[in-house]
Every structure is written in C-alpha cells, then in structure tokens.
Amino acid sequence: MKNLKSIKSIFAQILGTVFLFSCASWNNTEKGVAIGGGTGGAIGAVIGNKSGQAGKGAAIGAVVGGAAGAAIGIYMDKQAKKIEDEVKDAEVERVGESIKLTFDSGILFGFDSYSLTPEAQENIMKFAEILKEYPDTDLSIEGHTDNRGAYEYNLGLSERRAASVKNYLKMQGIDDTRMVTIGYSFDKPVATNETDEGRAKNRRVEILITANDELVEKAEKGEIEN
C-alpha cells in the first residue's frame, strides 16, 4: 500500500508539473497561486536545474504556494517590467519564480575582453538602481562563450566576464552576499555553434534573479507590499 501511495504521489507531481508548464497563457502571478506542496517542489527543481541552483529552486517551490506564491509572482513581475523598461539591450524573461536577464557579450565587452564597455557600465548602473528598489532577491551571474578556441581559455574568459559584472554591481552598492558568479565556457549553448549568428547568441552573460529567504518569509506572513 505504501508503495502504491508513493507511485501515486510521484505521478501526481509529474502531472502537476506538465499541466502548469503547458499553460503558457497564464501570467506568473497565476502560476504562483498554483505552485504549492509536492507540485511546487517538482516545479522548483525544474526551475533550479535551468539555473544551476536546483536545491534552492526546489526549496522555494516546495515552501511557497497559494497567496504567498502569488505575492512573490507580483513582486517579480514588477521588477522584471522595470528592468525591461529601463535597462537597454537586455532580454528579460520570467522563468517560474525567477527572472532571467540576458546580455549579449558583444554589448558588454570588447572582442576577447572582460572589461565592460562604457555603455555596459551605464546599463549596469541602471540595473543596480532597480536592484536597490527590490532588495529581497539574489543574483546568479553566469558567463558563456561560443566553442571557438580552447575550452580552458573560454572557461577563464567566461568566469572573468561574470566577475566583471558582479564587481561593477558591487561598486554601485549592491551587497556582495547577494551575488554568485560562475563561468560555463561553451558547455551551455543556446544556439548552434556552426554559424556566426549562433555563436553570437552563445557569447552571453545571463543573470538569474531569485527570491531570497527574506522575501519568502515576508510572502508567507503577508508582508509584501503590492
């Protein structure tokens, strides 16, 4: 009987996850309401795996549901909209309870460089001001390259580029403890490396913005101002 219950539970989680992600027309607040219990944990794990933070994603998904999930959804929706309106040359995407911000490396850096261009510095300054308005979030800053050149060289370049973004945000007053960096070299392409266009898409810096523990706690207590 226990085995049967376990199988049913796993099957329900899978169905819940498939159902939620199949509803592409839902807004993120509605998804937040739907996330809860076992289904939330499964969804959180999927989100976390996309970001390299599987444990954190699963933990948030398992804890947050109902009104709390909706409150976090609204908080993140507002932050994403402000970033989209005020930060140029950045692609903003809501992923579950998170925000994914993507910069083409050609916008941020010169060729084979990890020094931020003046335009990139201006954009990151604007981004930093928004982060100060939404302090209850953490950032994972990820560097990516195309597959030209040696793997280890590209790994170092991707790490240095991610670190450059973090350091500049820190200079603008963003708390160091909110940010982590990682370089992936060319391990995670989003397009083919067989064309110039594809390689350009793969040369990028992604910033994943997630709710921190304080935001989750505020949401559960109904303390988030909407």
Side-chain angles (χ1 to χ4, degrees), residues 6-208:
S6 176
I7 292 170
K8 286 182 177 179
S9 175
I10 293 170
F11 185 62
Q13 289 186 22
I14 294 170
L15 280 178
T17 303
V18 171
F19 173 73
L20 183 54
F21 278 95
S22 68
C23 298
S25 62
W26 291 8
N27 63 36
N28 288 285
T29 301
E30 290 168 331
K31 289 178 182 177
V33 174
I35 294 175
T39 301
I43 293 166
V46 172
I47 295 167
N49 281 326
K50 288 176 72 99
S51 69
Q53 297 177 309
K56 183 170 184 178
I60 291 174
V63 172
V64 180
I72 290 177
I74 293 170
Y75 184 95
M76 301 302 273
D77 281 342
K78 287 182 175 180
Q79 186 176 188
K81 180 66 166 59
K82 196 168 183 66
I83 294 170
E84 192 169 30
D85 289 345
E86 299 185 14
V87 181
K88 295 189 303 180
D89 302 318
E91 179 184 334
V92 181
E93 179 184 358
R94 285 283 273 112
V95 181
E97 296 163 355
S98 306
I99 301 168
K100 187 174 78 170
L101 180 65
T102 304
F103 286 100
D104 182 330
S105 287
I107 295 167
L108 292 180
F109 311 100
F111 176 71
D112 199 28
S113 171
Y114 55 92
S115 296
L116 291 165
T117 65
E119 183 179 9
Q121 292 177 11
E122 182 179 348
N123 280 335
I124 293 173
M125 285 174 65
K126 291 179 180 177
F127 178 46
E129 291 306 310
I130 297 170
L131 291 174
K132 291 174 187 176
E133 294 180 36
Y134 295 87
D136 294 325
T137 51
D138 292 333
L139 285 71
S140 174
I141 304 169
E142 305 174 351
H144 303 267
T145 69
D146 63 32
N147 70 347
R148 291 185 296 183
Y151 179 87
E152 290 299 326
Y153 179 82
N154 279 298
L155 179 61
L157 181 60
S158 64
E159 291 171 342
R160 289 188 292 273
R161 286 181 164 178
S164 289
V165 174
K166 176 186 175 181
N167 290 337
Y168 201 75
L169 283 169
K170 186 177 177 180
M171 288 173 59
Q172 306 311 310
I174 303 304
D175 193 330
D176 183 75
T177 61
R178 292 180 64 182
M179 302 180 284
V180 296
T181 63
I182 186 167
Y184 285 107
S185 188
F186 45 74
D187 281 337
K188 293 192 173 185
V190 293
T192 179
N193 275 304
E194 300 302 315
T195 66
D196 289 341
E197 182 182 3
R199 286 190 292 269
K201 290 180 179 179
N202 291 330
R203 297 190 296 269
R204 68 199 190 279
V205 171
E206 293 181 355
I207 302 176
L208 190 79

